[in-house]
Every structure is written in structure tokens, then in C-alpha cells.
Amino acid sequence: MGEPGDAILYMPLRRRVWSLPYPDAVSGLRDLALYRSPVASRTLYGTEVPAPVIRSRMLETSRIVAVRDPVGQPVDAIAEEAVKRDVLAAHFEECRTREVKGARVTVLARPGAC
């Protein structure tokens, strides 16, 4: 759903694992929160940068593809996940959402830029 140059956020970070079997699906998208990849970190999800860095990167971005849990799932209370939700709510609008194999994939843009 994203275009080359768009950013991507996994919400919560453990959803990054959903892209591992389909790397072409996220090719050309910039992972705003990633610090170390799953391979480099020897984890399934990778590791993410601190919340202030995520916030800064998001505010420098005009379009974001969010890979999210289905509606009704509990949200993670850690700072990195909270800042993703807060910045999207305050600075972006939803352009379109599609349900894909149990995930919600949403394209968000600055107001008026959908």
C-alpha cells in the first residue's frame, strides 16, 4: 500500500515479524523505529530506537504505512508504542486501511495530503 520513500511503523514492534516472510511487500519503505534488524539483534522483531527518536523521525515524515494489530487488541503501554500512537493521532490523518491476514495496514499522511 505504500510507495517508495514512504515510512513504515510496526505497531506494536512485534508485528515486524509479519514482514519477514514477505520482504518485497515492504521494499522501498523506511522503517522509522528500527535500530537493529531481527538478524542483527538475533531476535524475531529487531530492536527499536528510543521514543524521542521515533517521535522526531515521525515528525520529519509526510506519509507513514502503519502495520497494526486488528481492532480490539490491547495496546502496549511502553513509551515507544505510546509515542507512535500519539504522533499519528496529533499530526496525521488516515488515508486508507486494509485488513491483510489478521493485520491492519493503514496509510496515513499529513492533513490534506492523502
Side-chain angles (χ1 to χ4, degrees), residues 11-110:
M11 301 173 64
L13 76 97
R14 66 183 168 277
R15 296 305 170 221
R16 190 173 281 111
V17 75
W18 286 344
S19 297
L20 294 179
Y22 310 102
D24 290 343
V26 296
S27 180
L29 302 180
R30 190 169 36 98
D31 191 330
L32 292 179
L34 188 64
Y35 174 62
R36 293 179 64 205
S37 71
V39 171
S41 66
R42 298 178 186 216
T43 67
L44 286 176
Y45 319 123
T47 56
E48 294 194 339
V49 296
V53 177
I54 294 172
R55 178 181 174 73
S56 176
R57 290 178 180 179
M58 289 177 74
L59 292 174
E60 294 170 353
T61 302
S62 58
R63 283 175 39 102
I64 296 174
V65 177
V67 179
R68 305 183 290 172
D69 281 334
V71 173
Q73 295 296 310
V75 296
D76 289 15
I78 64 171
E80 292 78 10
E81 297 304 327
V83 78
K84 293 173 190 177
R85 292 188 302 270
D86 294 347
V87 172
L88 289 178
H91 300 279
F92 290 83
E93 65 183 12
E94 187 174 317
C95 300
R96 63 187 177 279
T97 295
R98 190 164 65 186
E99 303 271 336
V100 182
K101 297 183 181 183
R104 275 186 308 151
V105 180
T106 303
V107 176
L108 301 110
R110 296 297 182 146

